[in-house]
Amino acid sequence: MKINEFPAPECPIHPQCRCCLIAVMKPLSEYGLSIDTLQENIRPYTLREDRPIMYGNNRKVLDYGEYKGNYSEFYKDQSDQFQINVIGKKRKALIDSGKITFDQLVDKRTGRLLTIEELTYNAGK
């Protein structure tokens, strides 16, 4: 099927409609790509000055580019203040003490960020 072969319905479709249109894409393999290729090569980042997020795009860009590796590796290469801004002082202290690793901050099954209490309990095991 080609784009616009079947016109999409106009939203909203019905009263109290919460429908949304979702694009369907061919598998990456049909474009000559693999997920490994994307994960290896696409890691853009922008570092902004340390000001509250409410300043939005008015925060000065300090650095930008692409990073090879995962976020855990990227995090390790950043300043202490950056790390505190990302995960908070208590989580950073648990990592710095060697009681937990960055990868243990999240419940692997649900993707939920663990609480300080859960992390402290897990660190004591």
Side-chain angles (χ1 to χ4, degrees):
M1 177 181 349
K2 296 181 180 178
I3 294 176
N4 296 330
E5 188 174 322
F6 297 100
E10 294 287 326
C11 284
I13 297 173
H14 52 80
Q16 297 182 347
C17 180
R18 296 186 302 174
C19 297
C20 64
L21 302 177
I22 298 175
V24 177
M25 191 173 131
K26 293 180 184 179
L28 292 174
S29 59
E30 290 189 32
Y31 295 101
L33 299 170
S34 71
I35 193 67
D36 293 334
T37 302
L38 291 178
Q39 288 178 336
E40 179 182 317
N41 294 309
I42 300 178
R43 294 275 191 256
Y45 70 89
T46 303
L47 297 178
R48 295 184 179 267
E49 67 182 321
D50 187 26
R51 290 174 61 185
I53 196 71
M54 67 185 191
Y55 291 102
N57 290 332
N58 294 327
R59 295 179 301 143
K60 181 180 173 184
V61 173
L62 303 175
D63 189 22
Y64 65 92
E66 293 180 358
Y67 188 82
K68 303 267 185 195
N70 61 34
Y71 192 82
S72 176
E73 294 164 358
F74 177 78
Y75 166 87
K76 290 176 191 174
D77 290 341
Q78 305 310 311
S79 69
D80 285 340
Q81 188 59 53
F82 177 92
Q83 293 177 358
I84 290 169
N85 289 347
V86 170
I87 62 172
K89 288 181 181 179
K90 291 182 180 179
R91 286 181 178 88
K92 180 173 173 10
L94 285 169
I95 290 172
D96 290 347
S97 70
K99 293 181 179 176
I100 63 168
T101 65
F102 184 86
D103 297 330
Q104 293 173 315
L105 294 174
V106 175
D107 181 318
K108 301 285 187 260
R109 190 174 49 81
T110 64
R112 180 181 61 83
L113 182 66
L114 297 176
T115 66
I116 298 296
E117 292 76 20
E118 290 170 318
L119 292 169
T120 305
Y121 175 78
N122 292 344
K125 287 183 178 179

